[in-house]
Amino acid sequence: MSQAPKDIEALIELMARLPGLGPRSARRAVLHLIKKRGQLLNPLADAMAAVGATARECLNCGNIGTSDICGICDSEKRSIGQICVVEDVADLWAMERAGVFKGRYHVLGGTLSALDDIGPEELRIPKLRDRITSEGITEVILALGATIDGQTTAHYIADELQGVTVTSLAQGVPIGGELDYLDDGTITAALNARKSL
Amino acid sequence: MSQAPKDIEALIELMARLPGLGPRSARRAVLHLIKKRGQLLNPLADAMAAVGATARECLNCGNIGTSDICGICDSEKRSIGQICVVEDVADLWAMERAGVFKGRYHVLGGTLSALDDIGPEELRIPKLRDRITSEGITEVILALGATIDGQTTAHYIADELQGVTVTSLAQGVPIGGELDYLDDGTITAALNARKSL
């Protein structure tokens, strides 16, 4: 209870359900919004309504766009034959920011997880299998997180897919990284995958 | 740049301007919103539009409500004669949650600050002086933060107001507080203000 009027109370409660905000920071955010009504609150309400009306999942790859088939799947400039598998739309965006991959994507929507009872059917893996045949894919690049769940999922997918090259992102020292600050696992991975110069 | 469609990009940019969210957490929040379109995104857009249309500052005390005079100023159940001065609406709500003060409030909208160039005119202090006369106030309770700016503001107001009792919240050990975890300033204040049992 914030002792605020009902409308404002309802807004605070909804805001508190956003990841990264709790009840206290939601209250602070709402007060800020009300102070900046013209510059922030009203534009935000409009932007949310617009996204709510137009955003949809791409039926092909799971990316978020404004049409049934997303801009990447629809683009003729993207090379055919390579597909990059990511956990989530945020990861797809991160890959696109790097701007180095020119093929298409496949968003799993998570990772396999025995604890959370997430199996292959929940993860759009059947759809991936379909796409490999229908789109004539020759290489599947697994860009999954270097976590236990991410790597389990990668191994599962590699085992499942036959007749196609499956690769995964290299592991090693990140650009700008100092050895002193890296964990043992990263150093071990980087040493095992060392390259001759 | 998130490489998201334009609508979604615009929403992320607006969300990133909320206190407590940065570009990365705004992106995460927006993806969460899109996933929970029915339960969260659309209700949030509606709630924001509703608050944007109805919320306004009380012309009398500065509280946020849905009419020109807020529910507290308008209520006949609130005792007359005492006014509690707070920095911000969030502080007013905190006082109301405690449920112990039965008078009316006055929201300053900040504290005096030489660094930020905030003087008495920016702080609704003239309005406070008017209200003391027009509402027949006998006691002004200063419930300002125990910060340097808060205490400077408290002293300024106490000096300014004549013919009225000015009090401030007691300083000391918070309920549930352990001495071992308290800072020196709090212990000093609590010792100086000791009471006989």
Side-chain angles (χ1 to χ4, degrees):
Chain A
M1 277 293 290
S2 295
Q3 306 296 334
K6 240 203 280 167
D7 276 0
I8 298 177
E9 201 56 65
L11 178 57
I12 293 173
E13 216 164 276
L14 285 166
M15 290 287 285
R17 283 160 57 188
L18 286 176
L21 290 181
R24 188 176 293 267
S25 47
R27 211 149 60 210
R28 202 164 124 247
V30 167
L31 281 170
H32 182 78
L33 280 172
I34 293 173
K35 268 184 208 154
K36 310 237 160 185
R37 188 187 321 210
Q39 304 109 289
L40 198 50
L41 177 57
N42 294 339
L44 201 49
D46 294 344
M48 281 188 183
V51 168
T54 60
R56 65 198 63 206
E57 232 179 43
C58 173
L59 295 177
N60 196 42
C61 75
N63 185 16
I64 286 170
T66 52
S67 51
D68 283 343
I69 299 297
C70 75
I72 294 175
C73 284
D74 211 30
S75 166
E76 292 187 354
K77 287 191 191 143
R78 308 299 294 214
S79 67
I80 302 171
Q82 281 185 325
I83 207 166
C84 176
V85 175
V86 293
E87 284 175 33
D88 222 328
V89 175
D91 301 329
L92 187 160
W93 290 347
M95 288 291 294
E96 282 295 282
R97 278 199 299 280
V100 72
F101 178 67
K102 297 299 176 200
R104 299 213 167 93
Y105 293 93
H106 192 76
V107 179
L108 292 179
T111 50
L112 293 175
S113 166
L115 271 180
D116 298 329
D117 209 16
I118 298 178
E121 307 305 312
E122 275 78 42
L123 285 188
R124 303 170 48 83
I125 291 178
K127 175 74 187 170
L128 175 62
R129 220 180 282 122
D130 294 348
R131 286 185 67 192
I132 288 169
T133 322
S134 66
E135 296 182 24
I137 301 298
T138 53
E139 182 180 1
V140 172
I141 301 169
L142 301 175
L144 303 175
T147 59
I148 292 181
D149 280 346
Q151 294 306 302
T152 308
T153 311
H155 282 296
Y156 176 86
I157 294 178
D159 283 348
E160 279 291 293
L161 302 182
Q162 305 293 335
V164 61
T165 310
V166 180
T167 58
S168 88
L169 294 189
Q171 297 188 332
V173 182
I175 304 302
E178 293 179 57
L179 255 63
D180 194 18
Y181 290 91
L182 287 177
D183 61 297
D184 299 352
T186 303
I187 291 179
T188 307
L191 186 68
N192 289 342
R194 66 191 178 278
K195 303 184 300 181
S196 65
L197 286 176
Chain B
M1 276 293 291
S2 295
Q3 306 295 334
K6 240 203 281 167
D7 276 0
I8 298 177
E9 201 56 63
L11 178 56
I12 293 173
E13 218 164 274
L14 286 166
M15 290 288 285
R17 282 158 58 189
L18 287 176
L21 289 181
R24 190 176 292 266
S25 46
R27 211 149 60 209
R28 203 165 121 245
V30 167
L31 281 171
H32 182 79
L33 281 172
I34 293 174
K35 267 185 210 154
K36 310 238 161 182
R37 186 186 324 211
Q39 304 109 287
L40 198 50
L41 177 58
N42 294 337
L44 201 50
D46 294 344
M48 281 190 183
V51 168
T54 60
R56 63 200 65 207
E57 232 177 43
C58 173
L59 295 176
N60 196 43
C61 75
N63 185 14
I64 285 171
T66 52
S67 50
D68 283 343
I69 300 297
C70 74
I72 294 175
C73 284
D74 211 30
S75 165
E76 292 186 356
K77 288 192 191 144
R78 309 299 293 215
S79 68
I80 301 170
Q82 281 185 325
I83 206 167
C84 176
V85 175
V86 291
E87 285 176 30
D88 221 328
V89 175
D91 301 330
L92 186 160
W93 290 347
M95 289 290 295
E96 283 294 283
R97 278 199 298 279
V100 73
F101 178 66
K102 297 297 175 204
R104 298 216 166 92
Y105 292 94
H106 192 76
V107 179
L108 292 179
T111 50
L112 293 174
S113 166
L115 271 180
D116 298 328
D117 210 16
I118 298 177
E121 308 305 312
E122 276 77 43
L123 285 189
R124 304 171 48 85
I125 290 177
K127 176 75 186 167
L128 174 61
R129 220 181 282 121
D130 295 349
R131 287 185 66 191
I132 288 168
T133 322
S134 66
E135 296 181 24
I137 302 298
T138 55
E139 182 180 2
V140 172
I141 301 169
L142 300 176
L144 303 176
T147 59
I148 292 182
D149 281 346
Q151 294 306 302
T152 308
T153 310
H155 283 294
Y156 176 86
I157 293 177
D159 282 349
E160 279 289 294
L161 302 182
Q162 305 292 335
V164 61
T165 310
V166 180
T167 59
S168 88
L169 294 189
Q171 297 188 331
V173 182
I175 304 302
E178 292 179 57
L179 255 64
D180 193 18
Y181 290 92
L182 287 178
D183 61 298
D184 299 351
T186 302
I187 291 179
T188 308
L191 186 69
N192 289 341
R194 65 191 178 279
K195 303 184 299 181
S196 64
L197 287 177

